[in-house]
Amino acid sequence: MSGGHGAHVENGIWMRAVMMGGILLTIGVLLFATLGVFMANEKHHVWEELEDEYHHMEVEVALDGIITDKEAADLDHLHHEEIAAHLSYLTYRVAGITILLMSITYAAFIGVGGLLNSSKPAAEHGDGHDEHEHHGSSSPIIFAFGIMLFLAGFPDFVIACKAMLNADLTPDFGMLALSMVGLLTIVIAVSNWWFEDLPFNGHGEQIATSYPFEGEHIRKAGLWVFIMSEIMVFATFFSSYLRMRTEWCTKWAIEDGVEACQGVEPVVTASDLIRNDFATILPGAINTFALIISSYTIVLALKTAKNAKWEPSTGIMGKIMPTRKAAIRNYLIATLALGSLFIVLKLVEWSHLVAEGFDIGTTQGSIFYIATGAHGLHVFIGLLVMLYLVFKADTVGYDEDNAQGIEYFGLYWHFVDLAWVVIFPAFYLY
Amino acid sequence: MGEHIEIMGKDIYFWNFIVLMFFTLFEVAAVFYDVIPGTEIEVTKLMVWAILIVVGIIKGFGIAAFFMHLKDDPRIYTRTALFPVLFVILMLWGIGLSNPAGVTELPSWCTPNWDYAETR
């Protein structure tokens, strides 16, 4: 199907979404087997050996009763090696499991959506040729209703999940069912949304007729109002953190000689554990670069889509991106890969912090995990939307007429980047 | 539109990307090093704070103005983006004026049943 103009969409095209889900799942399983099983097991052996060696040496020193300086140094060195081996094992195991879970979610999301749409009657597809076609949709309302049901049952959904792992808890399967109905409603709404959007060729975009957005695209104005509300959400996290952070007797406050902090045990923040060591600051720094690069790749996707005179470059880039359609798709795939890398590194970093005793059971842990977790959730939701963009770029295609999809999603993605610009220095460096 | 401005054959998005990458590296280095490499100048905490705030503003401007097109889009979008910032400033101001006990002395029933709430 050519880029956006021949907007009649055959049902069979949705089977490519199912195939895409299968490819994502295969990649996920392979990466899990390599990183999460093979490499992690190797690292686990190394960790176990070092742990045994350390405990053996500890017992020997305890039996001797006297510890020399050399023995103390050796013991300390071994202890650090053992911790490093543990963290290395966690890196591979958590990365593998995260990739597997993400690929299952990706495959389920795009696969189920594709399957539902491929089974719809062909007559339901809009042909997109009507210049006055109304593109308002009920899908967002159904989607919002699904989220409401899902969240209504969510606390008990979590308990039910825990109960499956722990016999001491009594799950409320009624609420679990409510969450599941919510999840199903979300999937149906999203797949219907895709169904309506796929043939959209850029004509019939609704224009606002009244102040203050008069003459502007309603979807774009709506997205900016949504971003406005998101700024407030992140501002609450940020201001709560600042409020607490300025009161804590951190290592910095004690070093600065704050009177109220003299003789007080320092409060350990995530940044205390992260900022002074190359290995600990690396995941956060890579994540920052990954988000900035992903912001640029989505800009390149939009720029390519809007450029009717686009021509392939020479050399390797020309081979990777031989056509405009392939270039847009590949830029979006790069964005998807970078966003996925962000989630993987985030969870690896969390696992390291938890292993070091920085968990959610403290005020500083709670605000850190909630704020960075909320941001990670935004990234993940963005990735699910991006799956559809990749699918559309690969099938119907984007061009100068229908590039709004990339542009509006890009606004959301840049906002996620913008939020990280604030979160990273505040929670990781300050 | 911004994409038509070219510097050394590259569009504004490319240079914005380079600036964002550079300043990210700069802020990480500012925190990582206690002394400026190759000198004996100590990186004080005040310097770190100033760098983090200034770099944050520069990066935020780069993303919003160029990547989000606020520089070229109608002003109503900039106003929409800046509207919640008023509330953010008010919130930060309120936080600055508030009593420390407002956060640290919350009763246990106000907090989830975490260890710290029980042992406080």
Side-chain angles (χ1 to χ4, degrees):
Chain A
M1 182 130 331
S2 64
H5 291 293
H8 179 73
V9 176
E10 299 288 342
N11 271 17
I13 212 167
W14 286 102
M15 286 314 287
R16 288 188 73 152
V18 180
M19 195 177 78
M20 193 174 138
I23 292 169
L24 287 167
L25 190 62
T26 309
I27 293 170
V29 170
L30 287 174
L31 283 172
F32 169 70
T34 313
L35 297 174
V37 179
F38 178 72
M39 291 296 289
N41 285 349
E42 289 293 313
K43 297 287 175 184
H44 194 255
H45 290 314
V46 174
W47 173 42
E48 274 182 335
E49 280 170 16
L50 283 166
E51 201 179 27
D52 285 346
E53 206 176 320
Y54 173 68
H55 288 307
H56 184 69
M57 195 172 177
E58 221 178 16
V59 170
E60 269 184 7
V61 166
L63 287 174
D64 286 351
I66 303 162
I67 182 165
T68 62
D69 286 350
K70 189 182 175 303
E71 280 175 332
D74 286 349
L75 202 62
D76 190 51
H77 177 70
L78 204 56
H79 184 52
H80 279 100
E81 276 195 353
E82 185 242 320
I83 291 171
H86 181 208
L87 295 181
S88 177
Y89 155 70
L90 276 177
T91 301
Y92 285 99
R93 184 71 92 205
V94 172
I97 293 171
T98 308
I99 290 169
L100 181 69
L101 291 178
M102 280 172 69
S103 65
I104 290 171
T105 315
Y106 288 172
F109 201 69
I110 193 87
V112 171
L115 209 58
L116 284 174
N117 286 333
S118 67
S119 59
K120 281 187 179 175
E124 281 188 29
H125 290 281
D127 64 8
H129 285 296
D130 184 359
E131 298 284 321
H132 304 290
E133 193 174 345
H134 180 67
H135 284 283
S137 166
S138 60
S139 299
I141 298 166
I142 302 169
F143 177 71
F145 183 67
I147 289 180
M148 187 189 79
L149 292 180
F150 178 72
L151 291 179
F154 189 71
D156 287 297
F157 167 78
V158 174
I159 292 171
C161 289
K162 280 183 179 172
M164 289 174 194
L165 303 168
N166 180 1
D168 293 342
L169 288 168
T170 313
D172 181 349
F173 284 109
M175 297 308 274
L176 176 69
L178 186 67
S179 258
M180 290 294 108
V181 170
L183 211 54
L184 190 66
T185 311
I186 290 169
V187 172
I188 290 169
V190 169
S191 68
N192 194 53
W193 211 338
W194 294 349
F195 188 77
E196 291 164 344
D197 181 79
L198 196 66
F200 179 57
N201 60 8
H203 298 292
E205 182 78 53
Q206 287 182 296
I207 306 290
T209 53
S210 57
Y211 182 82
F213 289 103
E214 194 175 1
E216 295 298 314
H217 286 178
I218 284 181
R219 289 199 297 166
K220 186 172 181 178
L223 202 96
W224 269 107
V225 172
F226 170 68
I227 288 175
M228 189 169 87
S229 70
E230 290 284 76
I231 293 172
M232 292 302 292
V233 170
F234 280 98
T236 54
F237 294 135
F238 184 66
S239 53
S240 309
Y241 174 68
L242 275 190
R243 176 68 190 79
M244 292 187 271
R245 178 72 171 78
T246 48
E247 284 303 317
W248 289 331
C249 286
T250 58
K251 210 169 73 179
W252 276 15
I254 294 168
E255 282 171 11
D256 278 354
V258 174
E259 203 179 322
C261 295
Q262 297 312 308
V264 175
E265 192 69 22
V267 170
V268 178
T269 62
S271 53
D272 287 331
L273 298 168
I274 291 170
R275 67 175 164 242
N276 291 322
D277 192 273
F278 183 73
T280 51
I281 208 170
L282 195 61
I286 293 175
N287 270 351
T288 309
F289 289 120
L291 275 191
I292 292 172
I293 298 169
S294 74
S295 264
Y296 185 52
T297 49
I298 202 156
V299 164
L300 288 176
L302 178 63
K303 200 180 144 191
T304 309
K306 282 189 168 177
N307 185 3
K309 293 173 186 167
W310 185 88
E311 280 179 15
S313 355
T314 49
I316 192 160
M317 287 303 280
K319 283 180 183 154
I320 297 170
M321 301 176 181
T323 61
R324 178 155 70 135
K325 191 174 171 181
I328 297 166
R329 183 200 59 205
N330 292 350
Y331 282 133
L332 290 172
I333 289 174
T335 314
L336 183 75
L338 289 161
S340 303
L341 174 72
F342 180 93
I343 299 288
V344 172
L345 286 178
K346 162 116 346 246
L347 290 181
V348 165
E349 180 189 77
W350 278 13
S351 73
H352 288 190
L353 287 170
V354 170
E356 289 185 53
F358 187 82
D359 58 29
I360 202 167
T362 58
T363 41
Q364 59 271 30
S366 127
I367 188 68
F368 173 80
Y369 288 110
I370 295 293
T372 57
H375 179 267
L377 187 67
H378 278 76
V379 172
F380 191 64
I381 290 168
L383 292 173
L384 293 179
V385 179
M386 208 162 340
L387 282 173
Y388 169 71
L389 294 189
V390 171
F391 169 68
K392 184 166 178 176
D394 188 48
T395 52
V396 173
Y398 286 103
D399 58 19
E400 63 277 16
D401 292 325
N402 71 349
Q404 297 99 312
I406 302 175
E407 184 185 348
Y408 301 157
F409 172 75
L411 286 175
Y412 171 81
W413 194 251
H414 297 315
F415 167 74
V416 170
D417 190 10
L418 195 61
W420 186 249
V421 161
V422 178
I423 288 173
F424 179 63
F427 287 87
Y428 287 71
L429 304 179
Y430 169 45
Chain B
M1 293 291 282
E3 61 259 43
H4 298 309
I5 303 167
E6 288 203 347
I7 304 163
M8 289 192 276
K10 297 284 182 185
D11 65 21
I12 198 74
Y13 301 123
F14 174 80
W15 290 113
N16 188 41
F17 166 67
I18 296 295
V19 166
L20 290 171
M21 295 289 273
F22 169 76
F23 277 109
T24 302
L25 205 60
F26 183 64
E27 70 179 347
V28 172
V31 175
F32 190 71
Y33 291 109
D34 294 328
V35 175
I36 297 173
T39 70
E40 290 181 0
I41 302 166
E42 191 190 344
V43 183
T44 63
K45 288 181 185 71
L46 194 66
M47 280 167 74
V48 172
W49 290 333
I51 288 168
L52 292 185
I53 290 168
V54 171
V55 168
I57 291 169
I58 293 170
K59 284 170 70 181
F61 176 79
I63 293 169
F66 298 108
F67 281 172
M68 295 174 96
H69 298 117
L70 281 182
K71 194 171 171 292
D72 296 315
D73 274 351
R75 286 285 156 257
I76 182 63
Y77 291 116
T78 307
R79 287 189 210 120
T80 308
L82 287 179
F83 182 65
V85 175
L86 288 175
F87 292 100
V88 173
I89 291 167
L90 271 176
M91 198 146 59
L92 292 175
W93 183 56
I95 284 163
L97 294 176
S98 66
N99 188 315
V103 170
T104 55
E105 297 302 315
L106 283 173
S108 292
W109 56 264
C110 262
T111 61
N113 188 23
W114 294 327
D115 292 342
Y116 85 94
E118 289 172 345
T119 53
R120 240 177 339 108

